[in-house]
Amino acid sequence: MLRMNIHAGALDTASRFNLLAWLDIGYEKLDPIADYKTMLFQAGVGAMLPAPIYGYPRWSASLWDLTARALALGLRELPENLTEELPAFVSMNKRFAFADEMCASIEHIPAAGNRHRRTLSSVQIKQVGRKRGHYVAAFEEHSMKRNVTPPFTFRPARLQAAELVLYACLMHLNGKPEMPPRPALCVPPALEVDGRRFVQIHQLVEPARTGFVTWLYHNDAAPLEHNAAPSGIAPESMYARFLKEAV
C-alpha cells in the first residue's frame, strides 16, 4: 500500500502532531494494468468516500501522477463522480486562506508491516517571499530528478491541505493546474537475440528503469551486456514478470 501524509510546516518537523491529511492507495488488482482502491482522510473532516482507479499502468510515471488522480477523486463534490477531474475552484482576491509552508511524503507500507515502510517521494510547498497565496513546490522522488515548479497562485476561501498538494502535483506534472493524460504502459520494442526477445533497459522510462534493474539484482538476474544497449538487456519475460509482481 502507498500512503501520502500531508503536514503543516517543513519535512524535518513532520509528526503526528501537525498531520493535516493522508491518502491511502491500495491494490485491488496487481497487474501491469492495475486497479487501485483509494481513500482520503482530512483532519477535522474525516474520511471521504472511497474511490477506485481502474486500469492504471504500473511503473510508467511519477508516483505523483497516481496520487493526483486519487486526490481529485477524494476531493470530488459528488460521490458518483468518478472521473479524474480537478475539483471546482474559485480564486479569491481578498480574504483568501493561505499556508506559510506545507509538506507531503509518499511511503510504501508493505504487507510485512510498518517496520519495513520506506519513503519514496516528498514535496515541500512554500510561499514565494511574503506573497500570500503564491507558492513554489520542490519535488524529490526516488530515481527521478529533483523538480521545482514555477510559482503558482492558490487563493481559496477555505484552505484544504489536500487541494493545495493536488495543485502542486499538477504544476509538477503538467506545468499548469490541469490533469495530464494518463501515461501509457512502458513497453518498448523488443530486441531479438538468437531467437529470444529482450528488453533494452535504457529504453525504459523512470521509474521502470531503476525499479527493474533493482528487481533484477534482487532476483539474482543481472542485466546482460549488449553492444546496442548501454545499460544492458534482460529477457522480455522477466520484464513482464516485474510489471506483474514488483511493488
Side-chain angles (χ1 to χ4, degrees):
M1 183 184 78
L2 297 176
R3 172 166 290 177
M4 183 200 64
N5 293 313
I6 306 175
H7 297 266
L11 283 163
D12 58 4
T13 64
S15 72
R16 63 190 178 90
F17 301 107
N18 55 21
L19 182 63
L20 300 174
W22 64 97
L23 172 72
D24 285 343
I25 305 175
Y27 285 111
E28 197 165 90
K29 183 179 74 172
L30 181 59
D31 257 339
I33 303 294
D35 294 337
Y36 295 90
K37 50 188 176 182
T38 73
M39 183 174 284
L40 175 64
F41 302 79
Q42 298 185 89
V45 177
M48 313 305 285
L49 288 173
I53 295 178
Y54 294 123
Y56 189 85
R58 301 179 67 235
W59 293 98
S60 297
S62 165
L63 288 171
W64 294 103
D65 185 272
L66 177 63
T67 299
R69 297 172 198 282
L71 283 172
L73 289 169
L75 290 165
R76 68 194 187 279
E77 293 184 3
L78 301 175
E80 63 273 17
N81 180 15
L82 291 176
T83 57
E84 297 163 5
E85 298 175 349
L86 195 65
F89 168 73
V90 177
S91 184
M92 309 289 289
N93 289 322
K94 296 180 179 180
R95 297 185 180 179
F96 53 84
F98 65 93
D100 293 325
E101 190 171 11
M102 195 178 292
C103 66
S105 61
I106 299 175
E107 295 179 299
H108 176 232
I109 305 176
N114 284 338
R115 287 191 303 171
H116 301 276
R117 65 199 296 169
R118 60 195 178 100
T119 300
L120 303 176
S121 187
S122 63
V123 59
Q124 188 77 52
I125 305 171
K126 294 183 179 182
Q127 280 195 149
V128 179
R130 296 186 178 182
K131 295 182 179 179
R132 293 179 175 178
H134 294 268
Y135 301 93
V136 67
F139 285 82
E140 305 269 3
E141 185 169 356
H142 177 65
S143 80
M144 293 188 172
K145 293 181 180 179
R146 183 175 188 266
N147 179 55
V148 180
T149 68
F152 62 94
T153 301
F154 183 73
R155 291 176 166 179
R158 180 173 66 91
L159 183 66
Q160 294 187 84
E163 195 172 47
L164 175 54
V165 171
L166 171 57
Y167 267 66
C169 283
L170 299 181
M171 294 300 294
H172 167 54
L173 298 166
N174 216 24
K176 53 187 175 181
E178 294 179 11
M179 192 70 72
R182 276 198 178 195
L185 184 65
C186 177
V187 184
L191 174 70
E192 291 202 12
V193 180
D194 298 329
R196 297 178 63 198
R197 294 168 63 86
F198 291 85
V199 170
Q200 299 177 71
I201 291 171
H202 74 280
Q203 291 189 344
L204 300 176
V205 300
E206 293 291 8
R209 184 187 309 153
T210 299
F212 184 42
V213 171
T214 302
W215 183 84
L216 285 172
Y217 279 105
H218 181 74
N219 285 274
D220 297 322
L224 305 173
E225 293 185 0
H226 192 278
N227 56 13
S231 300
I233 60 175
E236 190 179 55
S237 59
M238 290 289 285
Y239 183 59
R241 186 179 149 200
F242 161 77
L243 288 176
K244 183 170 179 140
E245 298 178 3
V247 293

